[in-house]
């Protein structure tokens, strides 16, 4: 296929683009500068600009771009987080709908934070929207793909858990304190932390492109773990103790609402639709996922 990818230089995109090319697909990278090669197309979500003429013949879009949500949520950061997702998704959805011939699929990154803080409740794709800023952002993000859905394009929203990689994301931030022997559970440690290995999430995107999946799809490994279980597993993987808890009050003081929702919130999400579609995880258990993440 000829596939256009936004966010191609990010954590997932930098692994997905070579994987797609290795599989024989032609990739067009959306870039926020003047294109330097024939396999790039310029775009600016905030300006509503995209070089649609460079996307001729694209059969599918993978949309990964968005402002980093793992930062303290000042008013400015909130606006950037929301706008980057809504503006970018709307622009890509409208562009895809207007192309001739029309692409057959739009696979969008999304977030497990759609469900909000739900305690021990088991969460499938049919579970409703939770409360909080992050849940509202995800809902608006997914809704922004409406123009593509209305045009008959198959749209998939991959609600990702924490992507495990030592090169980025939450795991990268956890490595230093754990390697120093000062890691441990966050808050009570009873909150559920959905996760997925980077190689598996790349394979999920490839699967979503090739399958007939549509709508929301939870992208989280089968072994669901609490934060305390995650901390112990990371300590084992690094051969370090994981006994120093980080109090909830310290998280709220350091990170504000972001810490309360993203680190202390509990989301026991299961990848029911993904597994039912025939996808098999290479790293279904956390010990395996951490081993892969720390090797790469």
């Amino acid at each position: 296929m000829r596939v256009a990818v936004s966010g191609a230089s990010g954590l997932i995109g930098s692994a997905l683009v070579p994987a797609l090319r290795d599989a024989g697909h032609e990739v067009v990278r959306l870039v926020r500068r003047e294109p330097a090669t024939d396999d790039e197309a310029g775009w600016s979500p905030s300006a509503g600009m995209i070089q649609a003429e460079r996307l001729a013949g694209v059969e599918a879009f993978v949309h990964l771009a968005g402002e980093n949500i793992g930062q303290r949520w000042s008013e400015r950061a909130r606006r950037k987080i929301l706008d980057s997702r809504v503006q970018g998704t709307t622009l890509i959805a409208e562009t895809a709908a207007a192309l001739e011939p029309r692409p057959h699929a739009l696979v969008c990154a999304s977030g497990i934070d759609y469900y909000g803080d739900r305690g021990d409740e088991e969460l499938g794709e049919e579970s409703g929207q939770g409360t909080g800023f992050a849940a509202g952002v995800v809902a608006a993000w997914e809704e922004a793909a409406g123009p593509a859905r209305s045009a008959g394009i198959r749209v998939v929203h991959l609600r990702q858990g924490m992507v495990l990689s030592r090169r980025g994301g939450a795991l990268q931030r956890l490595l230093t304190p754990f390697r120093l022997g000062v890691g441990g559970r966050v808050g009570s440690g009873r909150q559920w932390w959905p996760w997925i290995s980077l190689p598996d999430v790349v394979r999920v995107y490839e699967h979503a492109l090739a399958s007939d999946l549509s709508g929301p799809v939870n992208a989280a490994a089968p072994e669901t773990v609490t934060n305390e279980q995650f901390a112990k597993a990371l300590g084992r993987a690094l051969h370090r103790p994981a006994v120093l808890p980080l109090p909830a009050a310290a998280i709220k003081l350091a990170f504000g609402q972001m810490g309360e929702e993203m680190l202390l919130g509990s989301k026991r999400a299961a990848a029911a639709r993904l597994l039912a579609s025939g996808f098999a995880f290479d790293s279904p258990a956390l010990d395996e996922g951490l081993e892969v993440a720390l090797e790469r």
Side-chain angles (χ1 to χ4, degrees):
M1 287 187 293
R2 181 169 163 85
V3 184
V5 180
S6 77
S9 61
L11 178 64
I12 296 173
S14 60
L16 177 62
V17 168
L20 290 173
R21 287 175 171 159
D22 287 347
H25 304 298
E26 179 186 354
V27 177
V28 180
R29 300 166 66 248
L30 296 180
V31 297
R32 299 172 190 264
R33 51 171 170 75
E34 187 64 27
T37 59
D38 290 340
D39 63 351
E40 295 181 341
W43 80 317
S44 173
S46 60
M49 184 282 293
I50 191 167
Q51 293 179 319
E53 69 277 6
R54 285 179 168 259
L55 301 174
V58 162
E59 298 163 82
F61 282 81
V62 174
H63 177 37
L64 301 170
E67 176 75 10
N68 178 23
I69 199 169
Q71 58 180 300
R72 192 176 181 91
W73 293 341
S74 64
E75 285 303 314
R76 183 171 180 271
R78 286 171 184 260
R79 180 50 53 192
K80 288 178 68 176
I81 289 166
L82 179 61
D83 286 352
S84 68
R85 284 159 174 76
V86 172
Q87 291 173 352
T89 305
T90 300
L91 180 57
I92 285 179
E94 291 178 344
T95 301
L99 287 175
E100 290 294 343
R102 195 169 289 157
H104 64 76
L106 167 56
V107 181
C108 292
S110 186
I112 216 78
D113 302 294
Y114 173 84
Y115 303 109
D117 183 1
R118 305 284 275 271
D120 292 331
E121 179 185 353
E122 293 189 5
L123 302 167
E125 289 85 356
E126 74 288 348
S127 300
Q129 178 185 343
T131 59
F133 172 71
V137 166
V138 175
W141 191 4
E142 295 184 356
E143 185 179 353
R149 278 190 294 271
S150 297
I153 297 171
R154 179 173 63 87
V155 178
V156 187
H157 300 285
L158 294 179
R159 293 176 178 168
Q160 297 161 188
M162 177 174 54
V163 178
L164 299 187
S165 172
R166 65 182 179 87
R167 295 187 291 108
L171 180 60
Q172 183 186 50
R173 298 184 182 188
L174 290 171
L175 287 179
T176 297
F178 272 80
R179 282 175 171 151
L180 293 173
V182 293
R185 61 177 169 82
V186 176
S188 71
R190 294 192 296 270
Q191 67 273 31
W192 295 90
W193 269 23
W195 63 275
I196 186 170
S197 74
L198 179 59
D200 271 341
V201 84
V202 167
R203 292 178 55 246
V204 168
Y205 276 91
E206 293 179 296
H207 180 75
L209 285 169
S211 70
D212 60 358
L213 283 168
S214 65
V217 177
N218 290 345
E223 184 180 51
T224 56
V225 298
T226 63
N227 166 259
E228 185 169 26
Q229 291 168 331
F230 185 95
K232 289 179 178 178
L234 182 54
R236 286 195 303 271
L238 295 173
H239 308 291
R240 295 289 189 274
V243 295
L244 293 177
L246 187 58
I251 289 290
K252 294 175 185 178
L253 181 64
F255 300 109
Q257 188 181 358
M258 188 281 287
E260 191 168 355
E261 290 191 22
M262 307 287 288
L263 301 178
L264 300 174
S266 181
K267 307 158 192 78
R268 192 178 186 178
R273 294 194 64 214
L274 188 57
L275 293 170
S277 71
F279 183 82
F281 286 83
D282 284 342
S283 300
L286 180 57
D287 287 338
E288 298 168 341
L290 287 171
E291 181 180 359
V292 169
L294 296 174
E295 283 177 351
R296 292 175 178 248

